[in-house]
Amino acid sequence: MPPPPSSEIISRGLTGCCPKCGTRGLFRHWFRLHESCNKCGLSLGKEDGFYLGTTSIGYVLAIIVVLIPVCFLVVTDVIGVWLGVSIGIFGSLVLVAAIYPAMLCALITVYYLFRPQELVDSQNDSSD
Ligand SMILES: [Zn+2]
């Protein structure tokens, strides 16, 4: 059985569904995926890179969306330094926490978009 087409992998991944079978419910909780898909058994927990990549993207987004604008406001004397520091710390944490599942979905999508052969049942590709 061939892997799903790229458009299917993208639409499933970006909506939080299993990229292999399309089942919803990949998340154990807000910050963690299940070890595997409940329906098809696609392994999700083995890829620690999903979490490392999410953290890296979170840092970059926090710099672009929160820290640079706050620095601009502090430099132009719109807000004080300590208010800027407080907003920078709190805003970065809230931003990363709020979008964490979306970043995980995006990383899963990109991962399986470039490795669709991993979505094929292991019984069928015994040549590897
Ligand atoms: Zn599945």
Side-chain angles (χ1 to χ4, degrees):
M1 183 176 165
S6 297
S7 60
E8 198 73 25
I9 294 172
I10 292 171
S11 66
R12 287 173 178 174
L14 293 182
T15 55
C17 298
C18 174
K20 183 176 179 181
C21 70
T23 300
R24 289 199 149 277
L26 296 183
F27 287 88
R28 185 183 312 160
H29 57 75
W30 193 258
F31 297 103
R32 213 68 179 158
L33 296 165
H34 285 290
E35 290 294 314
S36 60
C37 172
N38 292 332
K39 185 177 178 187
C40 71
L42 177 68
S43 178
L44 302 165
K46 67 177 180 182
E47 298 298 340
D48 288 338
F50 290 155
Y51 299 104
L52 293 173
T54 303
T55 305
S56 304
I57 294 170
Y59 289 146
V60 172
L61 284 177
I63 290 170
I64 293 171
V65 174
V66 177
L67 297 179
I68 289 175
V70 165
C71 286
F72 178 78
L73 293 175
V74 169
V75 168
T76 56
D77 284 333
V78 174
I79 59 174
V81 171
W82 289 111
L83 179 60
V85 169
S86 301
I87 293 172
I89 293 170
F90 185 72
S92 297
L93 292 174
V94 169
L95 173 75
V96 171
I99 64 172
Y100 198 86
M103 292 189 296
L104 266 178
C105 286
L107 280 172
I108 289 170
T109 301
V110 170
Y111 178 85
Y112 285 111
L113 196 59
F114 289 101
R115 305 181 88 172
Q117 70 278 5
E118 292 191 19
L119 297 176
V120 176
D121 284 329
S122 58
Q123 297 107 341
N124 296 340
D125 63 349
S126 57
S127 59
D128 284 333

